[in-house]
Amino acid sequence: LPTYTQAIRGSFFDFTAVAENPGQLTELARYIEDGLLLLNGGKIVSLQNWEEGQSQLSYPQAVIDYRGKLIVPGFVDTHIHYPQTEMIGAFGEQLLEWLQHYTFPVESQYHCPTHAANMSAFFLQQLLSNGTTTALVFGTVHPQSVDALFEAAHRLNMRLIAGKVMMDCNAPDYLTETPEQSYQQTRELIDRWHNRGRLSYALTPRFAPTSSPALLGKVRQLKAEFPDTWLHTHLSENPQEIEWVKSLFPDRSGYLDVYDHYQLTGRRSVFAHCVHLEDSEWDCLHDTDSAVAFCPTSNLFLGSGLFNLKRCWDRQVKMGIGTDVGAGTTFNMLKTLAEGYKVGQLQRYSLSACEAFYHATLGGAKALDLDSHIGNFLPGKEADFVVIDPAVSELQKMRQANSRDIGEKMFVLMTLGDDRNIASTWVNGQCVWQQNSVEKGEIA
Ligand code: GUN
Ligand code: ZN
């Protein structure tokens, strides 16, 4: 009999393998209405039907009973900026002006380790209270910002990938560095944090416009010296941005070619947005096995454009969902999926709940090259999951009651759901967040 330390009963939904096309998703999906999940040492031992599993229970009275709840693998946020938490929802601008007016001033504050520590704690609580257990995160140019975030994530045992922004031009002096400084500070952070516990390091050049050829050369050197690190940047988000890149790098054939030229594409490279790619760029992403982060709330909020989900499948490019806070307007994956559906609607692509939850879990894990560790409930996977209450408001209760099957119920959940639906969040086999356990403040 398998040994276990925790047993959890509830309804479970996950995907048992990575999909090559959306047609495979319903077959790969697994829904166990009355299931039993066994854990040991932060890992999954098994997921079975309650009927089959209960005979293996050594302490049946100790089962954690989540009947009536839906338990899914922890959400994976493939693109987010932790320092932008405090300027989410800034009015009136598109990308380049938004960066100048709102983003850069806020990021300047992260030279202060105390501020960085306070905001790191706040940021991770926002992730967990929204059911997100893994994220690929931008810091600021200050190494202190990343030290603070990794320290906080390490205490929680989260699987997190992050990096210090690298930038040396076209940004205020207070946020730029020399290529040599950027190289040295990044190296020190890699030595300190990469592969420590569940933490990993991402080389994080902000985007091509804030990177000189010399800086990109340093990023290439770091990627060659530390080939198992990640590469995280922005690509083809906004038309003016793309024109600017073409004028800054006239020798390159396009935006992605800037990164590709410096050997920054690859299996652990994640490019946020990719809203306006050329055919040859889709080919390059596929051929290099690079991944993209689809950030629906951000693309709508900044008016950047509509990500092409269908083309992403057709071109066989790995994709995950990003909230892109603070251009994105929510930490919540359910709300982000709902906006993703609307982005699809505007292009006659119907994003089913099945597909949406795939992107938010195993698909995102695959995009981050973490699918051997997280993303579903297969034995040996790390026990990161979220317990969802499918109906927390009168409207949700009414609408769930008249939904016929799990597909419809999950679609209603993603369309009407938000952080109130996150009952609890588990990381590495520990419950790290619970609805209603937080003081509700002064209002009695
Ligand atoms: N491109 C370069 N920097 C940023 C950023 O901070 N947010 C977004 N959305 N796009 C960027
Ligand atoms: Zn971003």
Side-chain angles (χ1 to χ4, degrees):
L1 293 182
T3 54
Y4 69 93
T5 52
Q6 284 147 303
I8 294 163
R9 184 178 185 180
S11 299
F12 293 85
F13 181 87
D14 72 344
F15 292 86
T16 53
V18 167
E20 243 115 68
N21 61 68
Q24 298 173 332
L25 288 171
T26 47
E27 260 172 54
L28 296 172
R30 164 171 67 167
Y31 176 57
I32 303 181
E33 191 166 358
D34 188 8
L36 175 65
L37 181 72
L38 299 182
L39 311 179
N40 191 355
K43 298 259 170 68
I44 309 280
V45 174
S46 63
L47 173 61
Q48 300 161 279
N49 287 315
W50 170 257
E51 284 302 325
E52 293 161 23
Q54 61 170 324
S55 61
Q56 298 171 9
L57 292 173
S58 339
Y59 310 98
Q61 69 282 8
V63 173
I64 300 169
D65 192 350
Y66 281 133
R67 270 178 291 175
K69 305 282 196 291
L70 177 68
I71 304 176
V72 303
F75 296 132
V76 178
D77 189 336
T78 61
H79 179 68
I80 187 166
H81 300 251
Y82 104 79
Q84 295 176 15
T85 304
E86 53 191 300
M87 42 98 35
I88 190 168
F91 173 75
E93 310 283 10
Q94 290 208 347
L95 175 64
L96 299 177
E97 298 76 28
W98 175 87
L99 284 172
Q100 294 290 340
H101 294 165
Y102 298 115
T103 313
F104 292 151
V106 159
E107 291 194 6
S108 73
Q109 301 177 51
Y110 288 74
H111 70 268
C112 170
T114 309
H115 185 68
N118 290 339
M119 291 313 298
S120 292
F122 186 88
F123 170 80
L124 293 179
Q125 285 309 305
Q126 287 299 307
L127 289 184
L128 295 173
S129 61
N130 284 288
T132 297
T133 51
T134 284
L136 173 58
V137 188
F138 259 70
T140 64
V141 73
H142 317 93
Q144 307 84 293
S145 73
V146 176
D147 280 325
L149 182 67
F150 275 139
E151 257 155 42
H154 196 57
R155 280 196 292 275
L156 285 158
N157 246 313
M158 286 179 77
R159 186 163 278 288
L160 192 100
I161 313 174
K164 170 197 121 55
V165 167
M166 306 173 78
M167 57 177 169
D168 73 333
C169 58
N170 294 317
D173 290 344
Y174 58 78
L175 285 182
T176 51
E177 52 189 349
T178 66
E180 185 55 34
Q181 269 173 334
S182 195
Y183 172 85
Q184 285 301 341
Q185 294 184 341
T186 300
R187 238 195 114 103
E188 284 165 22
L189 288 167
I190 293 170
D191 287 340
R192 193 141 64 238
W193 296 108
H194 187 51
N195 294 332
R196 179 150 161 213
R198 302 180 76 199
L199 306 175
S200 304
Y201 197 86
L203 306 172
T204 311
R206 177 167 218 120
F207 66 155
T210 50
S211 309
S212 70
L215 184 88
L216 292 168
K218 292 295 185 191
V219 187
R220 171 173 54 196
Q221 188 183 341
L222 286 162
K223 181 67 189 171
E225 288 169 347
F226 304 97
D228 70 335
T229 53
W230 275 254
L231 183 290
H232 184 198
T233 190
H234 297 92
L235 172 63
S236 286
E237 177 177 5
N238 168 290
Q240 282 91 333
E241 171 208 20
I242 295 166
E243 287 315 305
W244 192 21
V245 172
K246 286 179 178 168
S247 72
L248 290 169
F249 296 89
D251 295 343
R252 303 274 66 87
S253 66
Y255 195 159
L256 179 55
D257 190 45
V258 175
Y259 300 132
D260 192 48
H261 176 77
Y262 289 94
Q263 294 161 23
L264 304 183
T265 49
R267 189 156 68 103
R268 290 191 168 178
S269 296
V270 181
F271 297 97
H273 304 302
C274 300
V275 173
H276 307 283
L277 294 182
E278 320 238 340
D279 281 349
S280 60
E281 295 180 311
W282 282 108
D283 290 340
C284 176
L285 291 173
H286 169 82
D287 295 345
T288 57
D289 201 19
S290 301
V292 306
F294 169 31
C295 308
T297 73
S298 167
N299 295 161
L300 296 172
F301 185 73
L302 291 183
S304 302
L306 303 176
F307 179 80
N308 196 324
L309 275 159
K310 180 174 186 306
R311 187 161 303 157
C312 192
W313 278 115
D314 290 346
R315 297 296 181 121
Q316 296 273 295
V317 172
K318 297 180 301 186
M319 186 271 270
I321 306 288
T323 58
D324 193 29
V325 165
T329 51
T330 180
F331 281 81
N332 189 263
M333 192 55 72
L334 300 171
K335 292 181 77 170
T336 305
L337 297 177
E339 296 307 290
Y341 173 80
K342 296 170 194 172
V343 168
Q345 281 289 68
L346 286 165
Q347 302 169 92
R348 301 278 154 94
Y349 184 90
S350 302
L351 177 66
S352 68
C354 182
E355 179 180 343
F357 275 78
Y358 173 77
H359 294 312
T361 59
L362 187 61
K366 173 75 180 171
L368 298 187
D369 198 28
L370 292 176
D371 52 306
S372 58
H373 298 283
I374 56 168
N376 60 18
F377 295 116
L378 292 190
K381 289 281 180 93
E382 295 162 359
D384 291 351
F385 54 89
V386 47
V387 181
I388 298 176
D389 190 337
V392 296
S393 68
E394 293 309 308
L395 179 66
Q396 288 182 5
K397 283 174 191 162
M398 182 271 285
R399 189 63 181 85
Q400 288 295 3
N402 67 27
S403 301
R404 286 159 307 189
D405 55 28
I406 181 64
E408 207 173 310
K409 283 182 193 296
M410 286 173 59
F411 188 71
V412 168
L413 174 65
M414 81 184 216
T415 303
L416 299 181
D418 54 42
D419 55 334
R420 295 169 301 170
N421 296 88
I422 309 302
S424 66
T425 304
W426 291 61
V427 165
N428 213 40
Q430 303 283 324
C431 181
V432 291
W433 190 85
Q434 245 179 307
Q435 187 81 243
N436 300 326
S437 69
V438 183
E439 294 277 359
K440 289 289 182 203
E442 271 122 47
I443 306 155

